[in-house]
Amino acid sequence: MSTLESTRAELGLVVVYLNKAEARDKICRAIQYGSKFLSDGQPGTAQSVDKSTSLARKVFRLFKFVNDLHALISPVPKGTPLPLLLLGKSKNALLSTFLFLDQIVWLGRTGIYKDKERAELLGRISLFCWMGSSVCTSLVEVGELGRLSASIKKLEKEIGNKDKHQNEQYSAKLEKSKESSLALVKAGMDVVVAFGLLQLAPKKVTPRVTGAFGFASSLISCYQLLPSHAKSKTV
């Protein structure tokens, strides 16, 4: 493949990636929390970028609560343990509530919804819902990692002395384990970000700490949205 064709193919991947609303939202999220890290809660250009990007992101999320509402009422794969099923459905319910209430927060900040005091209260409730969904996600991923670990060990015994990585089922489970580990790290970071936004521990989780964790979490989200073959190139 020539250099021009290779460049065209790479740019094509970038175009496809940026055409995803979710990808643009996560890029804006990285800008938002990067600005929060730089401002450390102090007035200035960085704080203005943080606030304006935060407001702009809410437009990306309009009616997005329907996605998790649909996941909430959808059947789960057979064989899913009851605790993981309940945690997964709780995550969907909490995330859907967060995204729905976030729309009212947006209406309040744009001046369409006049009751600012109630909008701020709903904003805090929505953040608690987001924190709760992140905790549920963490627990789900811990459970999935436990199941995958047991399954991988069983496969290793079955494969014996053969090359494990030549086994498609083994490779698939290993890849799934890596994805769950990354999702667990991201969910843990999001819990810290929620703590910071809610100011539950303002002396420890400062705006700079919140920004750092939010920025790192956003980069993970951007990576997770990459096509699988593009991810393999980054490893």
Side-chain angles (χ1 to χ4, degrees):
M1 186 183 286
S2 68
T3 305
L4 181 60
E5 289 176 336
S6 178
T7 303
R8 189 184 297 123
E10 294 293 335
L11 284 175
L13 285 174
V14 172
V15 170
V16 170
Y17 183 76
L18 293 177
N19 277 339
K20 296 178 182 178
E22 188 74 10
R24 294 198 301 273
D25 175 50
K26 298 311 177 188
I27 292 169
C28 288
R29 188 177 191 262
I31 295 169
Q32 176 193 345
Y33 284 105
S35 301
K36 187 180 286 292
F37 172 79
L38 293 173
S39 72
D40 195 22
Q42 301 303 314
T45 304
Q47 190 182 66
S48 297
V49 172
D50 172 17
K51 289 183 177 180
S52 60
T53 311
S54 174
L55 188 61
R57 285 187 61 228
K58 294 185 186 303
V59 179
F60 281 115
R61 299 200 297 261
L62 286 175
F63 302 108
K64 194 180 172 184
F65 71 93
V66 175
N67 294 356
D68 278 278
L69 190 61
H70 179 263
L72 178 64
I73 61 175
S74 297
V76 296
K78 289 183 178 180
T80 303
L82 183 60
L84 290 185
L85 187 153
L86 294 174
L87 283 168
K89 294 301 182 183
S90 297
K91 180 201 80 170
N92 294 139
L94 287 165
L95 195 53
S96 182
T97 304
F98 158 68
L99 292 166
F100 177 76
L101 294 177
D102 199 49
Q103 294 181 142
I104 301 174
V105 175
W106 174 72
L107 291 171
R109 291 183 183 175
T110 53
I112 298 172
Y113 183 68
K114 302 300 183 183
D115 194 337
K116 290 186 177 181
E117 197 172 308
R118 178 162 291 183
E120 288 300 318
L121 174 62
L122 291 175
R124 282 189 65 80
I125 294 171
S126 73
L127 285 173
F128 273 110
C129 288
W130 180 52
M131 184 170 68
S133 74
S134 298
V135 170
C136 288
T137 301
S138 299
L139 295 172
V140 167
E141 296 304 339
V142 167
E144 286 295 340
L145 282 168
R147 293 176 72 201
L148 284 166
S149 178
S151 182
I152 287 170
K153 285 178 181 177
K154 185 180 177 182
L155 265 177
E156 285 175 343
K157 288 181 180 178
E158 291 175 1
I159 295 167
N161 296 324
K162 296 178 183 177
D163 187 357
K164 294 178 287 189
H165 297 281
Q166 294 298 321
N167 186 291
E168 288 185 10
Q169 194 178 0
Y170 180 85
S171 297
K173 287 186 181 295
L174 205 61
E175 185 61 32
K176 178 65 178 172
S177 179
K178 290 177 183 177
E179 290 174 3
S180 289
S181 297
L182 193 61
L184 175 59
V185 171
K186 180 190 174 300
M189 287 182 172
D190 284 340
V191 172
V192 177
V193 174
F195 255 81
L197 294 175
L198 287 164
Q199 297 183 325
L200 298 177
K203 291 183 179 179
K204 291 183 179 179
V205 189
T206 63
R208 178 151 287 169
V209 171
T210 304
F213 275 83
F215 181 72
S217 169
S218 302
L219 292 182
I220 291 174
S221 294
C222 290
Y223 172 77
Q224 288 173 322
L225 289 168
L226 285 171
S228 56
H229 57 280
K231 287 180 185 178
S232 62
K233 292 181 182 179
T234 63
V235 177

